Structures are given as structure tokens and as C-alpha cells.
Amino acid sequence: MKKEDFIIVAIDGGAASGKSSTSKILSDRLGLLYVNSGSHYRALTWAILQRGIPPHRVDKIEAFLKFLEVDYKIKGREAHMTLGACVPAEEIRSPEVNQAVSTIAAIRAVRKFLLPRQRSYVEVARQHAFDGLIMEGRDVGTVIFPEADFRFFLLADEAERTRRRQWEGQVDSIRERDRLDKERKTAPLIHSEGAIKVDTTPLTLQEVADKLTGIILAGKK
Ligand code: DC
């Protein structure tokens, strides 16, 4: 890929729609820096719960964000958000975080806090000589990078998504999280016009990855 071919790929979709696994494969195949924006909301949620702040206490959450130092660390092809000296890991996938994360992600101040940091990963990817950036989440193609070169929206049947989470050993109320993510006022989960919709229900992971890779390579010509 030539230097000027730097691409931004946005992958949005509901919980367990296949975003993370697909994004990781595309990141490997195309040399893109991978960022999971859901992990940013999860890390903040984890830190807020650790402090004993209830998810509905917007005032306390705003005060907490004023003093929070956020940075990033690159591991392989993935960029992870750091909170102070801490790189949150598997604890951000706990049932407690699953339960509170959509409430905290709906808080305007939380989204305002993360947005410029999420956008800054384009520069991070360039500085580290990646061929582009792939970011997954709920509002990547609508709010974070509406000008992305490729915008995808993944979906899958609820039964299939529940099965995927169970297979991962996770307790996750997918339906409730999707409802909260779709109904919130700021940056809701929506399929925006122009994003390519892919139903992953009948497809294997490789088939989904092949489909998206094909679209990206064809679009880059
Ligand atoms: O992708 P995930 O299921 O790990 O995301 C966890 C939560 O974070 C999700 O329920 C809503 C929120 N989120 C968001 O509001 N905006 C994003 N771009 C990514 C995630």
C-alpha cells in the first residue's frame, strides 16, 4: 500500500454482532491500527464503579473526568486506552461493567470526553506507520469518523448473538444494551445512510472478513 493510501475503516453494530473479531482480522490483513471504542466506555465504566460512583450520578462522573489522565499504549496492531498508570484488561468485560456501560455511555460529558481522544487515533496510526485505522463501536461511522473511507454496519439475529456471548463465557444483556444504545439522545446506535449493512447471522467469521476485505480492496483501486 502506498503512503497516501492511508484508510479509515469504521465498523458499527449492536452487541456481539461480530465487530471485534472481524476488525482484528482486517487489521492483520490490511496493516491497520485496531481500536475498539467500546473498550473506552468499558474502561471508564470500570474506573467509575471502582471509585464507588453509581452510574446515574452524572455530577460525580463529571468531577471524576476532570482529573482523569488518559493516554494510549500500542500492543501489536492494537491501541489500548490507559487510565493513569493502568491498562484495563479483562476486568472491563465483567457482568457489572456489562450492566452499567450503556448507562454511562449515554452521558453527554462522557462522550464529549472521549470523542477528541478517539479522533486522535488517526494521528497515532500515522505516527506508527500503519496503513490506516480500523475503529469499531456504535458511532464510529456517524460521529467519530463520518468521513471514513469505508463504513460498515454489522448485524446478527439476537439468538445468534446471545449464543456467541455464551460461547465466550460472558453474562451480557444484549437486548437491554442495544435498547439503551439505540434510544439515547447523543450519538445513538443507528444504521446511517451510506454505511454498508452486513448481516453476519448466516456467515462464518472468515466469510464476514472476506466480504469486507473484498469491498475495501475493490474500493481502493
Ligand atoms: O462494543 P461493546 O459492546 O464492548 O461496547 C460497550 C458499550 O459501549 C456499548 O453498549 C455502548 C458503548 N459504546 C458507545 O456508546 N459508543 C461506541 N462507539 C462504542 C461503544
Side-chain angles (χ1 to χ4, degrees), residues 5 28-29 39 55 79 82 84 88 118 122 129 136 146 176 193 200 209 219:
D5 286 343
D28 278 342
R29 285 186 184 171
S39 72
T82 59
Q118 290 167 333
V122 171
E136 60 145 303
E176 179 60 3
E193 216 181 296
T200 69

Side-chain angles (χ1 to χ4, degrees), residues 40 58 68 92 94 104 108 113 115 119 123 164 195 203 219:
H40 303 161
V58 177
L68 188 64
I92 67 169
S94 68
I104 287 174
R108 199 181 286 265
F113 177 83
L115 184 59
R119 287 188 172 150
E123 274 319 303
R164 290 178 188 169
L203 304 177

Side-chain angles (χ1 to χ4, degrees), residues 157-175:
D157 282 355
E158 196 179 303
E160 170 62 14
R161 297 190 290 140
T162 303
R163 194 190 62 75
R164 290 178 188 169
R165 277 291 189 262
Q166 282 168 351
W167 190 80
E168 291 165 357
Q170 278 211 49
V171 180
D172 194 358
S173 45
I174 286 168
R175 185 185 299 179

Side-chain angles (χ1 to χ4, degrees), residues 12-16 19-20 36-39 41-42 93 98 101-102 105-106 111 118 136-140 144 165 172 177-178 181 184 187:
D12 289 307
K19 302 184 301 293
S20 303
N36 178 338
S37 66
S39 72
Y41 291 95
R42 287 176 174 277
R93 313 224 161 254
N98 282 343
V101 66
S102 290
R111 305 201 74 85
Q118 290 167 333
E136 60 145 303
R138 303 295 186 290
D139 64 339
V140 184
I144 306 177
R165 277 291 189 262
D172 194 358
R177 277 210 291 134
D178 274 2
D181 294 342
R184 71 179 174 225

Side-chain angles (χ1 to χ4, degrees), residues 27-72:
S27 141
D28 278 342
R29 285 186 184 171
L30 302 170
L32 312 176
L33 179 66
Y34 164 58
V35 178
N36 178 338
S37 66
S39 72
H40 303 161
Y41 291 95
R42 287 176 174 277
L44 286 189
T45 299
W46 171 78
I48 287 164
L49 296 178
Q50 284 281 105
R51 290 247 161 170
I53 304 174
H56 61 275
R57 287 299 303 266
V58 177
D59 55 337
K60 290 200 170 192
I61 291 172
E62 284 178 351
F64 170 71
L65 292 177
K66 284 206 176 97
F67 297 97
L68 188 64
E69 283 183 19
V70 165
D71 206 348
Y72 70 88

